[in-house]
Amino acid sequence: MKVTVSVYGRFWAFNLAQQLQKSDNLHKLISTYPSFAIKKYGIERNLIHSIWHLEILSRSWYRLPNWLRRDKDLQLWFLEQFDDQVTKYIQPDFDIFVGWSGANFRSLQRAKGMGIKTIVERGSSHMRYQTEILKQEYEKWGLKFTATHSGIYEREILSYDEADKIAIPSFFVKRSFLEQGVPEDKLIHIPYGTSLSEFYPEKKNDNIFRIIHCGSISIRKGIQYLLQAFYELNLPNAQLWLVGTLAPEIESFLNKYQSKNIILKGKYPQNQLRFLYSQCSVFCLASIEDGFGMVIPQAMACGLPIIHTTNTGGEDIVREGIDGFCISIRDVNALKDKITFLFENQDEREKMGANALKRARQSLSWEQYGKKMINAYHDLVK
């Protein structure tokens, strides 16, 4: 089986390519990342085709000051340039072509025209659902919502129709596609994994009860509700660590819920995150929309119990009351209840953390994800 994977700027997809290579099924990896960066994931140089100049152009453009970029949005142009380049490397001897939603449309069409089976990867909820729920959330707080570029939106929707299969990571994403009329038999539902060599427990250095959020500090991630819950609880000897890039939209909430115990840690490289997880007691992801919070299995692999919402993908891997708790989005009272329970019941908290660690080691590795995906690929070409 010859599988070609086309990926625009999604470094975590290299884990899929790595598993395909191990099983001798990777035919080609087409990416904007330079070859030397991809080789760090163990991908052989002869299997990589790097369209590196687009990565450089894209990063350079978005680093320009706003006054130079003005109102120009080149995101669609970059995606179209990538897509056009990818079409040149599609050959009739491919068995499966895997592309990313939004980044691959013309290439999907070309592959399908050659009789190649096509799969589009979608890591978030259906684009229509995602747009509507985020628009509602921004409007709720009187904030400006920046919609996805109309051209990218259209490519996303069309790619769902064009592909033979849509690979998705969670029940949450699956529900959003079913609600939009996509037939269930078109969906490949397999949760992502994590790197057990990078994420494992380290020694905790003190007895402070800490909640950690990791990811962008934004409206989409539900930070506004987490801040409110932590502030109103006012727990003794407790801290909230926010790890990631701070979106300007959150500054008003930080001003409203000012506390010396709410600590902005900034952005950290992935290989340093386990040290932060290990100094904390509970991981919380209160997202409004998150197709699959890859930070959840990371935190589980570091031995933390999880509090997550229905819209994070956590229900696929976190067993209710065993590894953590699931709550509805926007439910501050439920969030406060679960935090309070874990704060007041150290033995239960530690037991849940141990359960989460065991589950991560048993079933949440990238290797296990790869095996499931490869089996799905084989079923497609039978």
Side-chain angles (χ1 to χ4, degrees), residues 117-303:
K117 294 295 183 180
T118 57
I119 299 173
V120 63
E121 285 274 352
R122 173 64 176 171
S124 297
S125 58
H126 192 288
M127 177 59 83
R128 289 197 191 100
Y129 176 91
Q130 181 189 60
T131 300
E132 185 57 32
I133 196 169
L134 292 178
K135 182 180 178 182
Q136 290 173 2
E137 189 65 24
Y138 276 80
E139 289 178 350
K140 175 181 178 178
W141 300 107
L143 295 168
K144 181 183 177 182
F145 173 64
T146 303
T148 301
H149 189 292
S150 59
I152 298 173
Y153 185 102
E154 182 180 5
R155 286 167 62 91
E156 281 271 353
I157 301 299
L158 290 174
S159 69
Y160 302 158
D161 295 331
E162 189 70 33
D164 293 305
K165 296 285 185 178
I166 306 168
I168 56 171
S170 68
F171 285 114
F172 162 55
V173 174
K174 183 176 182 178
R175 288 193 296 268
S176 74
F177 272 84
L178 295 178
E179 289 170 4
Q180 295 295 326
V182 176
E184 186 171 6
D185 62 5
K186 190 168 186 172
L187 304 175
I188 300 174
H189 171 203
I190 299 174
Y192 300 137
T194 195
S195 172
L196 300 180
S197 64
E198 284 187 287
F199 296 99
Y200 50 85
E202 299 277 358
K203 182 180 177 181
K204 192 172 187 299
N205 296 325
D206 54 38
N207 63 353
I208 296 174
F209 176 83
R210 289 193 187 91
I211 304 163
I212 184 171
H213 161 90
C214 191
S216 66
I217 304 170
S218 62
I219 291 291
R220 181 180 179 182
K221 298 291 184 177
I223 294 297
Q224 58 276 26
Y225 301 106
L226 179 55
L227 286 170
Q228 181 183 349
F230 182 80
Y231 180 85
E232 291 180 356
L233 283 173
N234 194 27
L235 299 171
N237 197 37
Q239 293 179 347
L240 170 61
W241 280 9
L242 301 176
V243 181
T245 302
L246 177 65
E249 64 201 29
I250 293 297
E251 291 179 1
S252 63
F253 296 97
L254 289 170
N255 291 332
K256 181 177 180 179
Y257 302 116
Q258 283 189 32
S259 170
K260 65 178 181 180
N261 295 319
I262 297 174
I263 300 171
L264 298 173
K265 300 294 287 185
K267 188 176 180 180
Y268 279 74
Q270 181 168 290
N271 61 9
Q272 294 181 24
L273 292 179
R274 70 173 179 272
F275 299 106
L276 298 175
Y277 289 133
S278 297
Q279 297 309 308
C280 296
S281 313
V282 177
F283 178 83
C284 184
L285 190 63
S287 296
I288 303 301
E289 192 282 331
D290 219 331
F292 186 91
M294 298 181 69
V295 288
I296 293 178
Q298 291 175 4
M300 292 175 71
C302 293

